[in-house]
Amino acid sequence: MANASALETLIDLAQRESDACAKRLGAALKAVDEGEQKLQMLLGYRDDYANRLDAAQMAGITPFAYQNFVAFLGKLEQAIDGQREVLKHAHVKADMEKKGWQESERKRLSYRTLNERAAAEALAIENKRDQKMMDDHAARTVRARR
């Protein structure tokens, strides 16, 4: 049954590939989650800083302090834009890894299905052979009694 052994090898290789794809998908999804958390942190920080600017303006602020607030808010906006770009790439990578994992799972399951069919066919052949042996034995027994 060299064929079954080859199929078992293919199943094992497909399982390893699927496991590796699942690990990469997990890492990609973690990167998306971390990217989203960082974006939310930056957005919260920007909103907090904008509120501080509003409060400082109401209380009275020097032009120099105002420029510093505005410059810092500009840097925060750049950081937010950069983080959105990082997050966009993380989503693309996660989507690619998900497709790769799904493909590896399809391959693994198809090999397993082939293996199950081969096992079912082998069992059917063995059952036919056993039935033929029993029929032959019964026929010999009947002939011997005559």
Side-chain angles (χ1 to χ4, degrees), residues 90-142:
H91 277 288
V92 168
K93 181 158 177 57
D95 288 344
M96 281 178 24
E97 294 297 350
K98 182 179 178 184
K99 287 176 186 166
W101 174 75
Q102 287 172 332
E103 183 57 37
S104 70
E105 276 295 287
R106 272 193 290 277
K107 186 191 309 181
R108 184 184 66 80
L109 292 173
S110 68
Y111 288 150
R112 180 153 290 153
T113 299
L114 286 174
N115 194 37
E116 289 169 359
R117 284 183 191 155
E121 286 176 20
L123 182 60
I125 289 169
E126 188 177 325
N127 286 343
K128 272 187 178 178
R129 187 179 60 233
D130 289 350
Q131 185 64 48
K132 183 173 180 353
M133 285 175 38
M134 287 174 30
D135 290 349
D136 289 348
H137 178 70
R140 279 195 302 273
T141 303
V142 169

Side-chain angles (χ1 to χ4, degrees), residues 1-143:
M1 284 208 61
N3 196 15
S5 176
L7 198 51
E8 288 294 331
T9 300
L10 287 174
I11 290 170
D12 185 51
L13 290 173
Q15 181 65 54
R16 289 181 194 181
E17 178 187 349
S18 184
D19 291 347
C21 287
K23 280 183 183 177
R24 287 193 306 271
L25 175 58
L29 291 174
K30 183 178 179 188
V32 167
D33 188 49
E34 289 171 353
E36 286 175 347
Q37 287 178 13
K38 189 171 182 181
L39 178 60
Q40 290 308 311
M41 181 193 69
L42 287 168
L43 290 169
Y45 195 45
R46 180 201 57 198
D47 292 344
D48 182 52
Y49 210 74
N51 288 338
R52 283 194 214 170
L53 174 59
D54 290 344
Q57 284 179 315
M58 291 211 183
I61 186 171
T62 66
F64 180 72
Y66 177 78
Q67 285 177 335
N68 285 341
F69 265 106
V70 171
F72 189 72
L73 280 171
K75 290 187 190 285
L76 274 174
E77 286 298 330
Q78 287 176 343
I80 288 168
D81 290 344
Q83 187 59 32
R84 283 188 173 127
E85 196 64 26
V86 165
L87 189 54
K88 183 174 94 175
H89 290 293
H91 277 288
V92 168
K93 181 158 177 57
D95 288 344
M96 281 178 24
E97 294 297 350
K98 182 179 178 184
K99 287 176 186 166
W101 174 75
Q102 287 172 332
E103 183 57 37
S104 70
E105 276 295 287
R106 272 193 290 277
K107 186 191 309 181
R108 184 184 66 80
L109 292 173
S110 68
Y111 288 150
R112 180 153 290 153
T113 299
L114 286 174
N115 194 37
E116 289 169 359
R117 284 183 191 155
E121 286 176 20
L123 182 60
I125 289 169
E126 188 177 325
N127 286 343
K128 272 187 178 178
R129 187 179 60 233
D130 289 350
Q131 185 64 48
K132 183 173 180 353
M133 285 175 38
M134 287 174 30
D135 290 349
D136 289 348
H137 178 70
R140 279 195 302 273
T141 303
V142 169
R143 270 187 260 134

